Coordinates of all heavy atoms in Angstrom, one line a residue:
N1 N 8.1 -2.3 -3.6 CA 8.1 -3.5 -2.8 C 8.3 -3.0 -1.3 O 8.9 -2.0 -1.0 CB 9.2 -4.4 -3.1 CG 9.0 -5.0 -4.5 OD1 7.9 -5.1 -5.0 ND2 10.1 -5.4 -5.2
V2 N 7.7 -3.8 -0.4 CA 7.8 -3.5 1.0 C 8.3 -4.8 1.7 O 7.7 -5.9 1.5 CB 6.5 -3.1 1.7 CG1 6.7 -2.8 3.2 CG2 6.0 -1.8 1.0
D3 N 9.4 -4.7 2.5 CA 9.8 -5.9 3.3 C 9.6 -5.7 4.8 O 9.2 -4.6 5.2 CB 11.2 -6.3 2.9 CG 12.3 -5.4 3.4 OD1 12.1 -4.8 4.5 OD2 13.3 -5.2 2.8
D4 N 9.9 -6.7 5.5 CA 9.5 -6.7 7.0 C 10.4 -5.8 7.8 O 10.1 -5.5 9.0 CB 9.6 -8.1 7.6 CG 11.0 -8.7 7.4 OD1 11.8 -8.2 6.7 OD2 11.2 -9.8 8.1
K5 N 11.4 -5.2 7.2 CA 12.3 -4.3 8.0 C 12.0 -2.8 7.6 O 12.5 -1.9 8.2 CB 13.8 -4.5 7.7 CG 14.3 -5.9 8.1 CD 14.3 -6.0 9.6 CE 15.0 -7.3 10.1 NZ 14.3 -8.5 9.6
D6 N 11.0 -2.6 6.7 CA 10.7 -1.2 6.2 C 9.8 -0.5 7.2 O 8.8 -1.0 7.7 CB 10.1 -1.3 4.8 CG 11.0 -1.6 3.7 OD1 12.2 -1.4 3.9 OD2 10.6 -2.1 2.7
R7 N 10.2 0.7 7.4 CA 9.3 1.6 8.2 C 9.2 2.9 7.4 O 10.1 3.8 7.5 CB 10.0 1.9 9.6 CG 10.2 0.6 10.3 CD 11.0 0.8 11.6 NE 10.3 1.3 12.7 CZ 9.5 0.5 13.5 NH1 9.4 -0.8 13.3 NH2 8.8 1.1 14.5
I8 N 8.2 2.9 6.6 CA 8.1 3.9 5.5 C 7.1 5.0 5.8 O 6.0 4.8 6.2 CB 7.6 3.2 4.2 CG1 8.6 2.1 3.8 CG2 7.5 4.3 3.0 CD1 8.1 1.2 2.6
G9 N 7.6 6.3 5.7 CA 6.7 7.4 5.9 C 6.3 7.9 4.5 O 7.2 8.1 3.6
I10 N 5.0 8.1 4.3 CA 4.5 8.5 3.0 C 4.2 10.0 3.0 O 3.4 10.4 3.9 CB 3.3 7.7 2.5 CG1 3.6 6.2 2.5 CG2 2.8 8.1 1.2 CD1 2.4 5.3 2.3
V11 N 4.8 10.8 2.2 CA 4.6 12.3 2.2 C 4.2 12.8 0.8 O 4.5 12.2 -0.2 CB 5.9 13.0 2.7 CG1 6.3 12.5 4.1 CG2 7.0 12.8 1.7
G12 N 3.6 14.0 0.9 CA 3.1 14.6 -0.4 C 2.1 15.6 0.0 O 1.5 15.6 1.1
V13 N 1.8 16.6 -1.0 CA 0.9 17.6 -0.7 C -0.5 17.0 -0.6 O -0.8 15.9 -1.1 CB 0.9 18.7 -1.8 CG1 2.3 19.4 -1.8 CG2 0.6 18.1 -3.2
N14 N -1.5 17.8 0.0 CA -2.9 17.3 0.0 C -3.4 17.0 -1.4 O -3.2 17.8 -2.3 CB -3.7 18.4 0.7 CG -3.4 18.6 2.2 OD1 -2.9 17.7 2.8 ND2 -3.8 19.7 2.7
G15 N -4.0 15.9 -1.5 CA -4.6 15.5 -2.8 C -3.6 14.8 -3.8 O -4.0 14.6 -4.9
S16 N -2.4 14.5 -3.3 CA -1.4 14.0 -4.2 C -1.6 12.5 -4.4 O -1.1 11.9 -5.4 CB 0.0 14.2 -3.7 OG 0.2 13.6 -2.4
G17 N -2.4 11.8 -3.6 CA -2.7 10.4 -3.8 C -2.1 9.5 -2.7 O -2.0 8.3 -2.9
K18 N -1.7 10.0 -1.5 CA -1.1 9.2 -0.5 C -2.0 8.2 0.1 O -1.7 7.0 0.2 CB -0.6 10.1 0.7 CG 0.3 11.2 0.3 CD 0.8 12.0 1.5 CE -0.2 12.8 2.2 NZ -0.8 13.9 1.4
S19 N -3.3 8.6 0.4 CA -4.2 7.6 0.9 C -4.6 6.6 -0.1 O -4.9 5.4 0.2 CB -5.5 8.3 1.5 OG -5.2 9.1 2.6
T20 N -4.7 7.0 -1.4 CA -5.0 6.1 -2.5 C -3.9 5.0 -2.6 O -4.2 3.8 -2.7 CB -5.1 6.9 -3.8 OG1 -6.2 7.8 -3.7 CG2 -5.4 5.9 -5.0
L21 N -2.7 5.4 -2.5 CA -1.6 4.5 -2.5 C -1.7 3.5 -1.4 O -1.5 2.2 -1.6 CB -0.2 5.2 -2.4 CG 1.0 4.3 -2.4 CD1 1.2 3.5 -3.7 CD2 2.3 5.2 -2.2
M22 N -2.0 3.9 -0.2 CA -2.1 3.0 1.0 C -3.2 2.0 0.8 O -3.1 0.9 1.1 CB -2.3 3.8 2.2 CG -2.2 3.0 3.5 SD -2.2 4.0 5.0 CE -0.4 4.4 5.1
K23 N -4.4 2.5 0.2 CA -5.5 1.6 0.0 C -5.2 0.6 -1.1 O -5.6 -0.6 -1.0 CB -6.7 2.4 -0.4 CG -7.3 3.2 0.8 CD -8.5 4.1 0.3 CE -9.0 4.9 1.5 NZ -10.1 5.9 1.0
L24 N -4.4 1.0 -2.1 CA -4.0 0.1 -3.1 C -3.1 -1.0 -2.5 O -3.3 -2.2 -2.8 CB -3.2 0.8 -4.2 CG -4.0 1.6 -5.2 CD1 -3.0 2.5 -6.1 CD2 -4.8 0.7 -6.2
L25 N -2.1 -0.6 -1.8 CA -1.1 -1.6 -1.2 C -1.8 -2.6 -0.2 O -1.3 -3.7 0.0 CB 0.0 -0.9 -0.5 CG 0.9 0.0 -1.5 CD1 2.0 0.7 -0.7 CD2 1.6 -0.9 -2.5
S26 N -2.8 -2.1 0.5 CA -3.5 -2.9 1.4 C -4.7 -3.7 0.8 O -5.4 -4.4 1.5 CB -4.1 -2.1 2.6 OG -5.0 -1.1 2.1
K27 N -4.8 -3.5 -0.6 CA -5.9 -4.2 -1.3 C -7.3 -3.8 -1.0 O -8.3 -4.5 -1.2 CB -5.7 -5.8 -1.2 CG -4.4 -6.3 -1.5 CD -4.1 -6.3 -3.0 CE -4.8 -7.5 -3.7 NZ -4.4 -7.6 -5.1
K28 N -7.4 -2.6 -0.4 CA -8.8 -2.1 -0.1 C -9.4 -1.7 -1.4 O -10.7 -1.7 -1.6 CB -8.7 -0.9 0.9 CG -8.5 -1.4 2.3 CD -8.5 -0.2 3.2 CE -8.4 -0.6 4.7 NZ -9.7 -1.3 5.2
I29 N -8.6 -1.2 -2.4 CA -9.1 -0.9 -3.7 C -8.2 -1.6 -4.7 O -7.0 -1.9 -4.4 CB -9.2 0.6 -4.0 CG1 -7.8 1.3 -3.8 CG2 -10.2 1.3 -3.1 CD1 -7.8 2.8 -4.2
E30 N -8.6 -1.8 -6.0 CA -7.8 -2.4 -7.0 C -7.4 -1.4 -8.0 O -8.1 -0.4 -8.3 CB -8.7 -3.5 -7.7 CG -9.0 -4.7 -6.8 CD -7.7 -5.5 -6.4 OE1 -6.8 -5.6 -7.2 OE2 -7.7 -6.0 -5.3
P31 N -6.2 -1.5 -8.6 CA -5.7 -0.6 -9.6 C -6.4 -0.8 -10.9 O -7.0 -1.9 -11.2 CB -4.2 -1.0 -9.7 CG -4.1 -2.4 -9.4 CD -5.2 -2.6 -8.3
D32 N -6.4 0.2 -11.8 CA -6.9 0.0 -13.2 C -6.0 -0.9 -14.0 O -6.5 -1.7 -14.8 CB -7.0 1.4 -13.9 CG -8.0 2.3 -13.1 OD1 -8.9 1.8 -12.5 OD2 -7.7 3.5 -13.1
E33 N -4.7 -0.8 -13.7 CA -3.7 -1.6 -14.4 C -2.6 -2.0 -13.4 O -2.5 -1.4 -12.4 CB -3.0 -0.8 -15.5 CG -4.0 -0.4 -16.7 CD -3.2 0.4 -17.7 OE1 -2.0 0.3 -17.8 OE2 -3.9 1.1 -18.5
G34 N -2.0 -3.1 -13.7 CA -0.8 -3.5 -12.9 C -1.2 -4.6 -11.9 O -2.3 -5.1 -11.8
N35 N -0.2 -5.0 -11.1 CA -0.4 -6.2 -10.2 C 0.2 -5.8 -8.8 O 1.3 -5.3 -8.7 CB 0.4 -7.4 -10.8 CG 0.3 -8.6 -9.9 OD1 -0.8 -8.9 -9.5 ND2 1.4 -9.2 -9.7
I36 N -0.6 -6.1 -7.8 CA -0.2 -5.9 -6.4 C -0.4 -7.2 -5.6 O -1.5 -7.8 -5.6 CB -1.0 -4.8 -5.7 CG1 -0.8 -3.5 -6.4 CG2 -0.6 -4.7 -4.3 CD1 -1.6 -2.3 -6.0
Q37 N 0.7 -7.8 -5.1 CA 0.7 -9.0 -4.3 C 0.9 -8.6 -2.8 O 1.9 -8.0 -2.5 CB 1.7 -10.0 -4.7 CG 1.5 -10.5 -6.1 CD 0.2 -11.3 -6.3 OE1 -0.1 -12.0 -5.3 NE2 -0.4 -11.3 -7.4
L38 N -0.1 -9.0 -1.9 CA 0.1 -8.7 -0.5 C 0.2 -10.1 0.2 O -0.7 -10.9 0.2 CB -1.2 -8.0 0.0 CG -1.3 -7.7 1.5 CD1 -0.2 -6.8 1.9 CD2 -2.7 -7.0 1.8
Y39 N 1.5 -10.3 0.8 CA 1.8 -11.6 1.3 C 1.6 -11.7 2.8 O 2.0 -12.7 3.4 CB 3.3 -11.9 1.0 CG 3.6 -11.9 -0.5 CD1 4.5 -11.0 -1.0 CD2 2.9 -12.8 -1.4 CE1 4.8 -11.0 -2.4 CE2 3.2 -12.8 -2.7 CZ 4.1 -11.9 -3.2 OH 4.4 -11.9 -4.6
S40 N 1.1 -10.6 3.4 CA 1.1 -10.5 4.9 C -0.2 -10.1 5.4 O -1.0 -9.4 4.8 CB 2.2 -9.5 5.3 OG 2.1 -9.2 6.7
K41 N -0.5 -10.6 6.7 CA -1.7 -10.1 7.4 C -1.3 -8.7 7.9 O -0.1 -8.4 8.1 CB -2.0 -11.0 8.5 CG -2.6 -12.3 8.1 CD -3.0 -13.2 9.3 CE -3.6 -14.5 8.8 NZ -4.0 -15.3 9.9
F42 N -2.3 -7.8 8.1 CA -2.0 -6.5 8.5 C -3.0 -5.9 9.4 O -4.2 -6.4 9.4 CB -1.7 -5.6 7.3 CG -3.0 -5.4 6.4 CD1 -3.9 -4.4 6.7 CD2 -3.2 -6.3 5.4 CE1 -5.0 -4.3 5.9 CE2 -4.3 -6.2 4.6 CZ -5.2 -5.2 4.8
S43 N -2.7 -4.7 10.1 CA -3.7 -3.9 10.7 C -3.7 -2.6 10.0 O -2.7 -2.1 9.5 CB -3.2 -3.6 12.2 OG -3.2 -4.8 12.9
Y44 N -4.9 -2.0 9.9 CA -5.1 -0.7 9.1 C -5.8 0.3 10.0 O -6.8 0.1 10.6 CB -6.0 -1.0 7.9 CG -6.0 0.1 6.9 CD1 -5.2 0.0 5.7 CD2 -6.7 1.3 7.1 CE1 -5.2 1.0 4.8 CE2 -6.7 2.3 6.1 CZ -5.9 2.1 5.0 OH -5.9 3.1 4.0

């Protein structure tokens, strides 16, 4: 979950899935399983 006070740095080795996670959370791509709710407008 992400709330309005979070300032989150995403780290990991190259190819670990950082950009994929960001695209999932921003609804640019959909997961194979699970549920993601985006309640806010955003800039990417």
Side-chain angles (χ1 to χ4, degrees):
N1 297 333
V2 178
D3 69 34
D4 59 346
K5 298 292 189 296
D6 285 338
R7 304 170 80 81
I8 301 171
I10 302 174
V11 301
V13 299
N14 290 339
S16 61
K18 301 185 296 294
S19 294
T20 300
L21 176 63
M22 188 171 277
K23 288 176 183 175
L24 284 167
L25 296 176
S26 61
K27 305 286 281 185
K28 285 183 173 288
I29 59 175
E30 292 295 326
D32 299 328
E33 296 178 19
N35 181 45
I36 299 173
Q37 295 294 327
L38 179 58
Y39 303 119
S40 170
K41 291 183 177 180
F42 64 88
S43 296
Y44 194 102

